[in-house]
Amino acid sequence: MDPRPLKILLVASEAVPFAKTGGLADVAGGLPRELARLGHSVRLVIPRYGSIDGSTAGFKDWIRLAVPTATGRTNVTIEQGQLADSGVQILAVRHDPYFDREGLYQESGVDYPDNLERFAFFCRAVLELLPALRKVSGWTPDLLHAHDWQTALSLVYLKTLYARSLLMKRIGTLFTVHNMGYQGLFPAVEYPKTGLGAELFTVKTLEFHGSLNLLKGGLVFADFLNTVSPTYSREIQSPEFGFGLDGVVRERRDRLVGIVNGIDTEVWDPATDQHVASRYSVSDLAGKRTCKTELERELRLPVRDVPLLAVVSRFTQQKGLDLVAELLPELMELDLQVALLGTGDPYYEALFRSLQVRYPEKIGLRIGFDDVLAHRIEAGGDMFLMPSRYEPCGLSQLYSLRYGTVPIVRRTGGLADTVVPYAPRAVREGRATGFVFSQATPESLLSVVLLALRVYADRAEWNSLVRAGMSTDVSWARPARAYVELYRAVLDSRA
Ligand code: ADP
Ligand code: GLC
């Protein structure tokens, strides 16, 4: 138990187990759970997407609010539920015209044209919720913790439209940037939809080369900022990784921290995972073989005792899949198999489909978002490929460590912070957990894959990597404590 429990309101546009497009959801579901375990009082606000099964989530109507918008007031229902087996209360903002849709942010790769209205509305509802929380539950947060561009406006509203309220004045704010590549950019003509005054549309605040930039609002208005790894917190201060906002980040670097994500070690546990063919652990790896065989069957690959390289990824430029695609024909000369799961850019979907048709005996492919298969691939693979061009943290390599699927990663962001590179000495000391390469070129990726294949052939050495990875603490225990420390720094800075 923490001596001085905090009251924390997290705001996110996706959270497991309710809605997920990527790692943000894992963090927004996992962090509050651990904070609650540490004795803090935590609530999480999310949009009530139509895809959420309200009955399993236990959502019930809680209150109605009239949320001010640029054109008047809109009534919403706030539903209340519980994050299973935790003390975390979920508050879901229900407005079906905005959130009862096929996707979260887009359909068939095309963003919803009204994303600004949707997320400005969501953020405004968060602010309107605060007095209701105090009145109905006697609960006011010490901190508002927002994530990524979708929720950045909640911090802007708190410091501007709502700044005079005594209730709001007491609340400290933290903005977590999960990915500088997604900024919530909108044409300037849409700015009035935020409901903010024209004085906030300047280069010092929300304007970015003539457009509206929501991420920038979060970066400018939050008391403190953090990213999801120390290396990424340094990288985003440079033009290469800052996506045009590196100057804004540099100005606030004394308020910027990097905290590596944890993972939910109950959901992702090879010793208890109900999705996989056989359970296994670091002390008994036999089941991993069965997982591999079953995975080969599921992906219609011949069952063979050859190295199985795995990829589970959003298909975007960020993930370096062009390197994988360029490398595949060369890899196909070798005696190995590849298991690929992903969805996103239609270009990569088509490319991997055509490669699979060319090498059906060697490439197992599933296009789509499939959580169960993601577990099976983590369990059945031998190596996990993550050649990202940039990676704020990355969760898949953490799952891979835990499942004894040795990660092969590029030295960037959280990948650099979480994988200990293979080197004879690091292996002898039982520290090495994976393979790391630096240059984002197919040649560098090929040479590290060839190295991994050589080491794989030496079972004793390989098993040392597997064991070191599986023994690494990738839980939320440490990161959640780091967040609590950061929350306290936020509050101290305002005292
Ligand atoms: P990002 O958030 O940038 O996509 P992360 O590594 O942080 O990258 O998190 C990705 C998360 O999404 C992991 O939990 C991974 O298993 C999951 N994921 C990505 N693509 C798929 C997919 N096609 N099917 C199922 N899960 C996926
Ligand atoms: C983003 C990043 C990823 C990170 C995730 C959760 O999606 O791309 O690296 O792990 O957020 O923080």
Side-chain angles (χ1 to χ4, degrees):
M1 271 287 189
D2 206 288
R4 278 185 302 142
L6 297 169
K7 286 178 279 181
I8 306 144
L9 187 68
L10 284 106
V11 187
S13 58
E14 52 182 271
V16 291
F18 309 114
K20 168 165 168 174
T21 65
L24 167 62
D26 299 68
V27 174
L31 173 61
R33 187 182 287 279
E34 186 66 24
L35 290 169
R37 206 173 283 152
L38 291 173
H40 302 283
S41 171
V42 192
R43 287 176 159 88
L44 168 67
V45 194
I46 54 170
R48 171 63 161 93
Y49 297 108
S51 53
I52 298 175
D53 179 350
S55 60
T56 48
F59 285 176
K60 291 196 180 70
D61 285 4
W62 182 52
I63 50 166
R64 275 177 218 292
L65 292 175
V67 176
T69 66
T71 51
R73 280 181 177 270
T74 303
N75 291 323
V76 293
T77 303
I78 306 295
E79 296 186 7
Q80 194 192 59
Q82 203 75 19
L83 195 60
D85 306 318
S86 79
V88 180
Q89 192 184 90
I90 308 295
L91 298 160
V93 175
R94 178 157 200 167
H95 185 56
D96 290 347
Y98 283 155
F99 301 120
D100 187 5
R101 298 188 185 174
E102 187 96 347
L104 269 48
Y105 320 119
Q106 51 169 236
E107 267 169 52
S108 317
V110 181
D111 285 347
Y112 291 124
D114 58 351
N115 272 346
L116 178 59
E117 282 116 292
R118 298 172 75 221
F119 289 100
F121 178 81
F122 173 64
C123 290
R124 199 73 193 255
V126 171
L127 274 288
E128 294 293 320
L129 231 169
L130 290 168
L133 269 172
R134 181 172 62 174
K135 211 163 124 201
V136 182
S137 309
W139 193 90
T140 302
D142 300 309
L143 285 129
L144 181 63
H145 181 179
H147 299 258
D148 278 355
W149 69 264
Q150 295 90 335
T151 59
L153 277 177
S154 66
L155 306 180
V156 181
Y157 291 148
L158 185 85
K159 292 285 165 67
T160 57
L161 299 181
Y162 293 77
R164 281 206 300 271
S165 141
L166 282 180
L167 166 74
M168 309 287 179
K169 273 203 175 86
R170 290 188 37 225
I171 302 174
T173 55
L174 174 64
F175 186 49
T176 301
V177 178
H178 294 263
N179 197 328
M180 291 290 279
Y182 298 84
Q183 301 189 350
L185 282 169
F186 300 94
V189 288
E190 289 200 45
Y191 178 74
K193 293 176 182 166
T194 61
L196 293 164
E199 73 284 358
L200 291 175
F201 193 66
T202 71
V203 277
K204 286 267 160 226
T205 48
L206 289 159
E207 190 201 331
F208 180 75
H209 303 292
S211 293
L212 165 63
N213 186 323
L214 297 184
L215 191 83
K216 187 177 174 191
L219 293 174
V220 170
F221 282 92
D223 291 329
F224 268 74
L225 312 172
N226 84 291
T227 65
V228 285
S229 68
T231 295
Y232 193 60
S233 74
R234 290 187 295 273
E235 287 173 340
I236 59 172
Q237 298 180 41
S238 71
E240 190 190 345
F241 295 95
F243 288 93
L245 287 175
D246 43 296
V248 180
V249 175
R250 277 198 303 277
E251 266 184 46
R252 302 222 57 205
R253 67 179 156 222
D254 58 326
R255 293 288 178 105
L256 171 65
V257 172
I259 301 175
V260 166
N261 291 326
I263 63 168
D264 188 324
T265 46
E266 280 170 28
V267 174
W268 294 92
D269 181 359
T272 57
D273 195 328
Q274 295 304 313
H275 299 312
V276 306
S278 177
R279 259 62 61 201
Y280 61 93
S281 66
V282 67
S283 54
D284 181 6
L285 283 163
K288 190 162 172 62
R289 250 331 262 274
T290 316
C291 292
K292 179 169 171 179
T293 308
E294 282 309 307
L295 178 64
E296 287 170 324
R297 287 209 179 99
E298 184 167 357
L299 294 177
R300 296 176 203 285
L301 288 167
V303 174
R304 298 199 47 225
D305 186 16
V306 293
L308 178 55
L309 279 70
V311 176
V312 178
S313 183
R314 286 185 295 121
F315 288 170
T316 64
Q317 162 76 2
Q318 173 192 347
K319 301 292 178 181
L321 294 165
D322 48 327
L323 303 179
V324 177
E326 275 193 60
L327 192 65
L328 272 178
E330 208 147 337
L331 283 186
M332 295 298 101
E333 307 284 309
L334 307 172
D335 202 13
L336 50 73
Q337 294 176 337
V338 176
L340 252 161
L341 165 64
T343 176
D345 191 334
Y347 169 80
Y348 288 115
E349 294 190 356
L351 186 65
F352 289 127
R353 273 206 179 99
S354 69
L355 284 164
Q356 195 275 331
V357 169
R358 224 165 106 198
Y359 304 103
E361 303 274 299
K362 294 204 162 171
I363 301 179
L365 174 70
R366 181 79 57 84
I367 301 289
F369 199 92
D370 185 337
D371 188 47
V372 171
L373 186 57
H375 281 250
R376 292 180 180 160
I377 291 181
E378 291 287 5
D382 292 306
M383 307 167 191
F384 194 91
L385 271 183
M386 218 165 155
S388 309
R389 293 190 177 268
Y390 73 93
E391 196 60 74
C393 178
L395 296 174
S396 293
Q397 85 282 12
L398 302 180
Y399 301 140
S400 303
L401 290 173
R402 185 143 171 88
Y403 279 71
T405 304
V406 176
I408 301 178
V409 304
R410 199 165 95 74
R411 194 191 313 275
T412 184
L415 299 176
D417 292 345
T418 56
V419 177
V420 181
Y422 169 87
R425 180 158 169 199
V427 176
R428 273 199 308 281
E429 293 171 357
R431 290 186 297 110
T433 57
F435 296 87
V436 181
F437 70 107
S438 295
Q439 297 303 321
T441 59
E443 296 76 37
S444 310
L445 177 57
L446 178 63
S447 63
V448 80
V449 170
L450 291 177
L451 170 64
L453 292 171
R454 277 201 301 279
V455 177
Y456 180 81
D458 178 339
R459 281 307 154 111
E461 205 171 31
W462 189 258
N463 279 337
S464 150
L465 289 172
V466 169
R467 292 216 168 83
M470 292 182 81
S471 312
T472 304
D473 178 7
V474 288
S475 75
W476 269 108
R478 221 174 328 165
R481 286 204 165 77
Y483 272 102
V484 172
E485 235 175 78
L486 180 54
Y487 294 148
R488 295 205 192 285
V490 174
L491 297 179
D492 289 348
S493 76
R494 301 163 47 85

